[in-house]
Amino acid sequence: MRAIILLLTGCLLCACGGGGNSNSGGNTAAPGNLCQRNDINAQVFCALQQDYLWYRDLPASINPDNYASPSALLQAVAAPQDRYSFVLTAQEYQDRFINATFFGFGFSSVRSDNNSALQIAFVYDDGSAAQNGLRRGDKITEIEGVSVSQWLSQLDAGTISSEDIYGPNENGVVRNFIWQKPDGSQLSADFIKSDVTTNTVLHRS
């Protein structure tokens, strides 16, 4: 099954702002017309129409300017069963999967169905998260003493940015994480941001 990884050539666009404006009005456009536009949000929706596994579930018309970033647009239009698709800049893709370098705690996650946790999609062996026992399939429930559900509600409301949750992208930044294993046990550790050499083969059996 093929979901989609969207690669953008522009600068990184976080949930706090970016691609378009936040107007709630405006005319909607048919997907075919959006492919003639050069703005990032329109190009993202055009790519979804062409390559998305659940393309039949996409809205028939849409106004990309209603979404503050490509990630916000994707989250709004993605099929309910889609827990896999995400947005990367071209440079992020190059750094993470081609150059095999990554800066951060060394994990990637998706939201759980009820936004109560962050489900771990993969961990890099060289990162602080893996070294402290975080594994694929675990669920992060708390960061810096604040529940993930509370963090995500503030993030969606636009009152905070991802930097408020994870800290600035600086070497040595520490955040405390609490997570739950699939067997229900709970662990806690401080993760430290650093340059991580990535294992681009993420699973083997």
Side-chain angles (χ1 to χ4, degrees):
M1 291 175 61
R2 181 175 58 167
I4 190 167
I5 299 175
L6 298 172
L7 304 180
L8 308 179
T9 56
C11 61
L12 174 62
L13 299 173
C14 299
C16 56
N21 60 55
S22 58
N23 294 337
S24 59
N27 296 324
T28 58
N33 296 333
L34 293 177
C35 295
Q36 309 304 315
R37 291 173 47 170
N38 293 323
D39 58 291
I40 291 175
N41 279 8
Q43 289 300 308
V44 166
F45 195 78
C46 178
L48 287 169
Q49 285 287 328
Q50 295 170 355
D51 296 315
Y52 191 48
L53 178 64
W54 299 286
Y55 66 93
R56 291 186 181 90
D57 295 331
L58 294 171
S61 59
I62 193 172
N63 183 359
D65 296 333
N66 287 345
Y67 304 94
S69 69
S71 293
L73 184 150
L74 177 63
Q75 184 178 342
V77 304
Q81 66 271 30
D82 182 5
R83 296 183 292 112
Y84 313 100
S85 301
F86 57 94
V87 177
L88 289 177
T89 66
Q91 187 60 55
E92 285 178 306
Y93 177 82
Q94 187 76 21
D95 289 344
R96 191 175 300 181
F97 296 107
I98 306 303
N99 299 332
T101 59
F102 175 84
F103 183 82
F105 300 117
F107 70 86
S108 177
S109 63
V110 295
R111 299 185 184 204
S112 63
D113 292 337
N114 58 4
N115 279 349
S116 64
L118 295 173
Q119 180 93 36
I120 301 304
F122 56 83
V123 250
Y124 294 125
D125 296 340
D126 194 40
S128 177
Q131 292 169 4
N132 281 284
L134 189 72
R135 297 292 182 265
R136 174 178 168 85
D138 293 350
K139 291 182 178 180
I140 295 174
T141 56
E142 192 173 307
I143 303 171
E144 283 294 288
V146 178
S147 69
V148 165
S149 59
Q150 185 175 341
W151 279 125
L152 294 180
S153 65
Q154 293 180 75
L155 189 65
D156 291 341
T159 57
I160 64 168
S161 70
S162 58
E163 188 169 293
D164 294 308
I165 304 174
Y166 299 110
N169 281 330
E170 299 172 2
N171 199 55
V173 167
V174 177
R175 286 290 184 271
N176 180 262
F177 289 79
I178 294 177
W179 67 97
Q180 190 176 65
K181 308 295 287 185
D183 65 5
S185 61
Q186 186 171 279
L187 297 176
S188 175
D190 290 337
F191 296 169
I192 305 172
K193 284 191 176 183
S194 64
D195 288 311
V196 177
T197 300
T198 65
N199 46 297
T200 51
V201 177
L202 298 175
H203 178 73
R204 62 184 183 270
S205 64

